[in-house]
């Protein structure tokens, strides 16, 4: 197919004499000099032509449309990810990298880089360690990176997940609860933040096992963060009969990563203190 820029080379043939006839240029673009109005050689009909300026403008508009659609899909994916605004703001580019946290950040980036293999092999992560070490931030950085790449990721605190399920039951009955559970279980990646901070009940223990076990059996990766040690996490996930089923599933399906870097949250809190402090030193 000929481009409009070469339209002067276009020819037509009469059925009688097989004579090649050229279009006549009636008007040219004042900017690029290419034809914008032509006269058809056989019957003298005027036809429009798309000059270089017009084609470039069309390409800019098409690119803007594609970008707008991509941004719309990105925002929709973020809205469906269950992440709040603070979680959505956690991105790798905003992190301050130092010798203390470099290896953890690199590990999180590598997890995203090799997502296809991690998904195929059902490789999850268990970030554990004391508070303020950056576990939550890195987990949500992973969620945001993969969501931007079009991956169906769900990320929330365990407390938030439990509350959502309870609210769905109160508002929509058993069907609502079942639908929400199915959505959580079906996510390509599920991130459960701050496991162990939720109030432990028989129902919550059974519910967590249901989610963890379903994702393990369906081969879908999960990332968990917790401030508890592995010993205390095991105790927390042990059911009323003394069986740590949820913990056993976690350690079977997730790679434990202990965060031993310094307490960034405490450092940031100290940096944010004003000269006039009501509360004294932060311990």
């Amino acid at each position: 197919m000929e481009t409009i820029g070469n339209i002067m080379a276009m020819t037509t043939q009469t059925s009688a004499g097989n004579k090649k006839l050229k279009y006549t240029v009636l008007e040219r673009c004042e900017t690029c000099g290419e034809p914008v109005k032509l006269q058809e050689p056989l019957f003298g009909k005027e036809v429009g032509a798309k000059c270089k300026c017009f084609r470039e403008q069309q390409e800019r508009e098409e690119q803007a449309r594609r970008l707008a659609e991509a941004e719309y899909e990105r925002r929709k994916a973020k809205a469906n990810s269950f992440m709040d605004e603070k979680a959505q703001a956690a991105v790798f580019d905003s992190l301050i990298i130092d010798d203390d946290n470099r290896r953890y950040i690199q590990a999180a980036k590598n997890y995203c880089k090799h997502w296809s293999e991690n998904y195929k092999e059902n490789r999850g992560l268990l970030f554990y360690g004391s508070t303020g070490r950056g576990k939550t931030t890195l987990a949500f950085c992973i969620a945001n990176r993969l969501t931007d790449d079009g991956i169906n990721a769900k990320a929330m605190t365990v407390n938030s997940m439990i509350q959502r399920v309870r609210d769905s039951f109160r508002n929509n009955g058993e069907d609502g609860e079942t639908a929400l559970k199915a959505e959580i279980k079906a996510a390509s990646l599920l991130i459960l933040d701050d496991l162990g901070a939720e109030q432990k009940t028989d129902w919550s223990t059974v519910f967590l096992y249901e989610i963890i076990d379903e994702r393990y059996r369906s081969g879908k990766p999960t990332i968990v963060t917790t401030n508890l040690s592995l010993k205390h996490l095991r105790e927390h996930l042990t059911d009323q009969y003394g069986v740590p089923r949820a913990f056993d599933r976690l350690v079977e399906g997730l790679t434990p990563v202990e965060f031993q870097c310094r307490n960034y949250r405490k450092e940031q809190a100290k940096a944010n203190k004003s000269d006039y402090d009501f509360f004294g030193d932060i311990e």
Side-chain angles (χ1 to χ4, degrees):
M1 181 178 180
E2 297 287 346
T3 64
I4 298 301
N6 297 327
I7 199 166
M8 287 302 295
M10 293 175 61
T11 63
T12 186
Q13 298 177 342
T14 63
S15 57
N18 200 32
K19 182 180 179 181
K20 294 182 178 179
L21 301 175
K22 293 184 177 181
Y23 283 77
T24 301
V25 176
L26 299 178
E27 184 179 340
R28 291 181 180 272
C29 173
E30 294 180 358
T31 302
C32 68
E34 288 189 359
V36 294
K37 186 182 293 185
L38 303 167
Q39 187 175 51
E40 194 268 338
L42 290 179
F43 305 105
K45 181 180 179 181
E46 292 185 3
V47 294
K50 298 177 181 179
C51 68
K52 179 181 178 182
C53 297
F54 186 90
R55 297 195 306 274
E56 290 177 347
Q57 177 61 28
Q58 276 193 320
E59 177 58 29
R60 286 192 293 270
E61 291 175 356
E62 176 62 18
Q63 184 177 14
R65 183 189 65 79
R66 290 194 297 266
L67 290 174
E69 288 183 352
E71 178 63 15
Y72 171 77
E73 292 299 327
R74 188 188 73 83
R75 289 180 178 274
K76 184 170 71 172
K78 288 291 178 68
N80 292 333
S81 71
F82 297 158
M83 287 188 287
D84 57 25
E85 291 185 4
K86 183 178 181 180
Q88 292 182 28
V91 293
F92 286 116
D93 291 343
S94 67
L95 300 179
I96 298 175
I97 304 175
D98 56 36
D99 292 338
D100 209 30
N101 64 15
R102 188 182 308 277
R103 66 192 183 106
Y104 301 108
I105 294 175
Q106 190 59 53
K109 288 182 176 180
N110 284 339
Y111 186 85
C112 297
K113 181 179 179 180
H114 300 287
W115 164 251
S116 296
E117 300 95 311
N118 289 327
Y119 181 78
K120 183 178 179 181
E121 299 297 329
N122 187 18
R123 296 175 188 148
L125 298 169
L126 173 58
F127 290 167
Y128 73 100
S130 301
T131 60
R133 266 63 182 179
K135 303 182 298 295
T136 293
T137 298
L138 275 186
F140 285 128
C141 281
I142 292 173
N144 282 302
R145 172 67 61 83
L146 292 178
T147 299
D148 287 343
D149 290 341
I151 305 303
N152 175 20
K154 297 284 187 289
M156 70 206 95
T157 65
V158 173
N159 259 329
S160 176
M161 181 178 67
I162 290 173
Q163 190 60 50
R164 281 175 179 270
V165 171
R166 286 173 171 166
D167 288 346
S168 67
F169 180 79
R170 281 196 292 265
N171 296 332
N172 301 298
E174 189 173 341
D175 289 343
E177 178 184 346
T178 301
L180 181 57
K181 284 183 178 180
E183 187 177 356
I184 293 170
K185 293 174 183 178
S188 299
L189 175 67
L190 176 64
I191 293 179
L192 297 178
D193 180 47
D194 212 7
L195 177 60
E198 77 284 356
Q199 182 181 5
K200 180 179 178 178
T201 64
D202 290 344
W203 180 88
S204 69
T205 303
V206 172
F207 169 65
L208 285 172
Y209 175 75
E210 177 186 349
I211 297 297
I212 293 168
D213 182 64
E214 173 63 26
R215 294 195 58 81
Y216 172 83
R217 292 180 183 279
S218 63
K220 291 183 170 60
T222 303
I223 295 176
V224 172
T225 78
T226 181
N227 295 329
L228 301 179
S229 66
L230 295 184
K231 176 184 177 181
H232 290 139
L233 182 62
R234 186 179 192 276
E235 293 173 355
H236 180 75
L237 294 176
T238 297
D239 64 23
Q240 58 182 325
Y241 304 107
V243 181
R245 295 188 304 163
F247 178 81
D248 290 344
R249 274 288 183 259
L250 278 182
V251 296
E252 187 175 353
L254 310 184
T255 300
V257 179
E258 183 178 9
F259 278 61
Q260 296 177 320
C261 48
R262 64 183 187 272
N263 192 326
Y264 292 96
R265 190 179 303 162
K266 183 183 291 186
E267 290 181 3
Q268 186 61 49
K270 287 183 177 180
N272 290 339
K273 288 176 62 179
S274 63
D275 293 335
Y276 187 71
D277 186 6
F278 288 97
F279 303 104
D281 291 335
I282 298 176
E283 298 179 356

